[in-house]
């Protein structure tokens, strides 16, 4: 099977990681809904031309209902990032933002600082895309839209989960239907050039387990700094544009999944209670590959009321309940499924009357931590 690259439309695209048939990550059926849940292939392919890593030829058929609640970490990051960009680039007056299902909008903070929103069809001095474009199956076409919206001399700011920490940190659970591309700086640089854009600067940020904040301009306006070469060199050293090296993620994923199952079974054999925190879109793949069912994880909890009374899709049938049920149960071990904001979660539980639980972080391999 072959298909055209979602970025450059080239035909030299090859499969590198196969995670099997998986349910839609944001499909949370009612808890009483019996399985099996619908599944689709979940595999990563590499374009040998532009180096874009992407989902293969799959079209999930179930709608994704927006149920998540934005984390305090995300809200604080949006405010700080908007202030930082405007502080560094004070001449940006007209802004346009391409939104994201993740939240994290900068608009409130940008307009509070005195910028105005671009009118219909108006080009903007500052165009922002924070974890939005990865939800677009036709990445190349959507990148062109962002380039077209940018005024001469303007700045395009893009933040996205970085393929490098995904690979070296074994963050396989972030691969999911609905996230169509897994971006490296090299792939973005290659694709941006097709639309007259050049990367000027890049910053590494902690969001979602490791993201990049990239500044781009129209080619004639860009003056790349040393940060670009630093990240490109790190990517090359890790081999994230090499299909053989990328393929090792598959083995690493299965190994970590097996280790999580063993760890949960060990706690059960010792008579310890384990409950989960979080029902993120990354949980279905993690629990499914780890063969975690309700005998190992009776339930998980989530801050989002819309997820209560539902369950994680997949073979585990793990129900999702309010946080109050976790604090009432006082489990010996809390499996942190939203591991990318583990500090926020542990602080929230401990400051709210913690009981000295052990917190189990599942990746890159399961490890325990206290407060």
């Amino acid at each position: 099977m072959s298909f055209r690259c979602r970025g450059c439309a080239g035909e030299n695209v090859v499969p590198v990681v196969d995670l099997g048939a998986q349910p839609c990550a944001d499909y949370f059926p009612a808890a009483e809904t019996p399985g099996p849940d619908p599944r689709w292939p979940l595999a990563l392919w590499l374009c040998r031309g532009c180096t874009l890593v992407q989902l293969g030829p799959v079209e999930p058929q179930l709608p994704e209902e927006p149920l998540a609640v934005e984390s305090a970490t995300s809200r604080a990051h949006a405010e700080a990032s908007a202030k930082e960009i405007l502080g560094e680039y004070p001449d940006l007056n007209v802004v346009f933002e391409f939104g994201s299902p993740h939240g994290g909008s900068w608009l409130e903070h940008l307009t509070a600082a005195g910028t105005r929103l671009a009118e219909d069809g108006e080009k903007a001095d500052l165009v922002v895309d924070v974890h939005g474009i990865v939800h677009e199956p036709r990445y190349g076409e959507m990148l062109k839209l962002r380039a077209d919206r940018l005024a001469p001399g303007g700045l395009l700011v893009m933040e996205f989960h970085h393929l490098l920490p995904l690979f070296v940190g074994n963050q396989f659970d972030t691969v999911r239907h609905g996230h169509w591309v897994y971006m490296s700086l090299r792939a973005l640089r290659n694709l941006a050039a097709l639309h007259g854009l050049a990367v000027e600067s890049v910053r590494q940020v902690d969001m979602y387990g490791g993201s990049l904040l990239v500044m781009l301009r129209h080619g004639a306006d860009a003056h790349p700094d040393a940060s670009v070469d630093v990240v490109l060199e790190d990517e090359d050293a890790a081999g994230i544009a090499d299909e053989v090296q990328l393929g090792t993620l598959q083995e690493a994923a299965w190994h970590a999944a097996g280790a999580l199952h063993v760890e949960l079974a060990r706690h059960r054999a010792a008579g310890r209670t384990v409950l989960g925190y979080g029902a993120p879109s990354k949980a279905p793949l993690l629990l499914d590959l780890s063969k975690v069912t309700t005998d190992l994880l009776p339930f998980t909890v989530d801050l989002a009321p819309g997820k209560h009374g539902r369950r994680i899709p997949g073979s585990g049938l793990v129900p999702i309940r309010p946080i109050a049920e976790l604090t009432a149960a006082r489990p010996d071990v809390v499996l942190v499924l939203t591991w990318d904001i583990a500090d926020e979660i542990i602080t929230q539980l401990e400051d709210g009357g913690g009981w000295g639980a052990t917190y189990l972080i599942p990746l890159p391999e399961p490890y325990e931590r206290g407060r």
Side-chain angles (χ1 to χ4, degrees), residues 185 189 199-202 224-233:
L185 183 63
R189 190 187 67 168
V199 175
E200 181 166 87
S201 183
V202 57
D225 64 25
S227 65
V228 179
D229 287 334
V230 168
V231 175
L232 290 174
E233 289 168 5

Side-chain angles (χ1 to χ4, degrees), residues 29-257:
E32 62 274 14
T33 304
D37 296 321
R39 292 173 178 263
W40 289 267
L42 186 62
L44 294 180
W45 292 50
L46 171 69
C47 177
R48 289 169 169 163
C50 69
T51 74
L52 180 66
V53 174
Q54 57 205 282
L55 290 190
V58 60
E59 299 289 340
Q61 301 298 309
L62 296 177
E64 296 187 356
E65 189 175 355
L67 299 173
V69 173
E70 189 177 356
S71 70
T73 300
S74 174
R75 295 193 301 271
H77 174 67
E79 181 177 8
S81 298
K83 289 180 178 178
E84 182 179 356
I85 291 295
L86 288 182
E88 191 167 337
Y89 302 92
D91 296 332
L92 303 176
N93 300 309
V94 182
V95 302
F96 185 86
E97 182 179 68
F98 289 86
S100 166
H102 286 295
S105 173
W106 290 15
L107 281 183
E108 174 187 354
H109 311 295
L110 293 172
T111 55
T115 65
R116 70 171 177 85
L117 299 181
E119 298 177 0
D120 288 347
E122 181 183 11
K123 295 183 180 293
D125 302 324
L126 174 61
V127 176
V128 176
D129 185 299
V130 179
H131 299 278
I133 194 172
V134 298
H135 296 88
E136 301 286 354
R138 297 182 301 278
Y139 186 93
E141 295 175 25
M142 296 302 107
L143 185 59
K144 183 179 185 302
L145 284 183
R146 285 144 179 81
D148 290 346
R149 198 67 198 247
L150 188 63
L155 186 72
L156 169 60
V157 177
M158 299 183 70
E159 183 177 299
F160 51 86
H161 186 222
H162 189 196
L163 177 61
L164 179 59
L166 187 161
F167 178 72
V168 300
N170 197 21
Q171 299 171 357
F172 67 87
D173 61 346
T174 59
V175 179
R176 48 155 291 191
H177 300 122
H179 283 187
W180 297 94
V181 299
Y182 299 83
M183 291 303 302
S184 65
L185 183 63
R186 183 167 300 282
L188 177 59
R189 190 187 67 168
N190 292 341
L191 293 171
L194 299 179
H195 305 292
L197 296 172
V199 175
E200 181 166 87
S201 183
V202 57
R203 299 166 192 173
Q204 300 178 61
V205 296
D206 291 335
M207 292 301 297
Y208 302 110
S211 297
L212 289 183
L213 187 67
V214 182
M215 277 63 73
L216 304 98
R217 294 187 187 272
H218 292 298
D221 301 322
H223 301 284
D225 64 25
S227 65
V228 179
D229 287 334
V230 168
V231 175
L232 290 174
E233 289 168 5
D234 288 346
E235 291 182 350
D236 289 345
I240 60 170
D242 179 85
E243 59 198 80
V244 175
Q245 191 70 14
L246 279 171
T248 64
L249 179 64
Q250 183 170 319
E251 181 180 351
W254 284 105
H255 181 80

Side-chain angles (χ1 to χ4, degrees), residues 350-365:
E350 293 297 323
D351 288 352
W355 56 94
T358 295
Y359 295 91
L360 180 60
I361 313 300
L363 297 178
E365 292 211 1

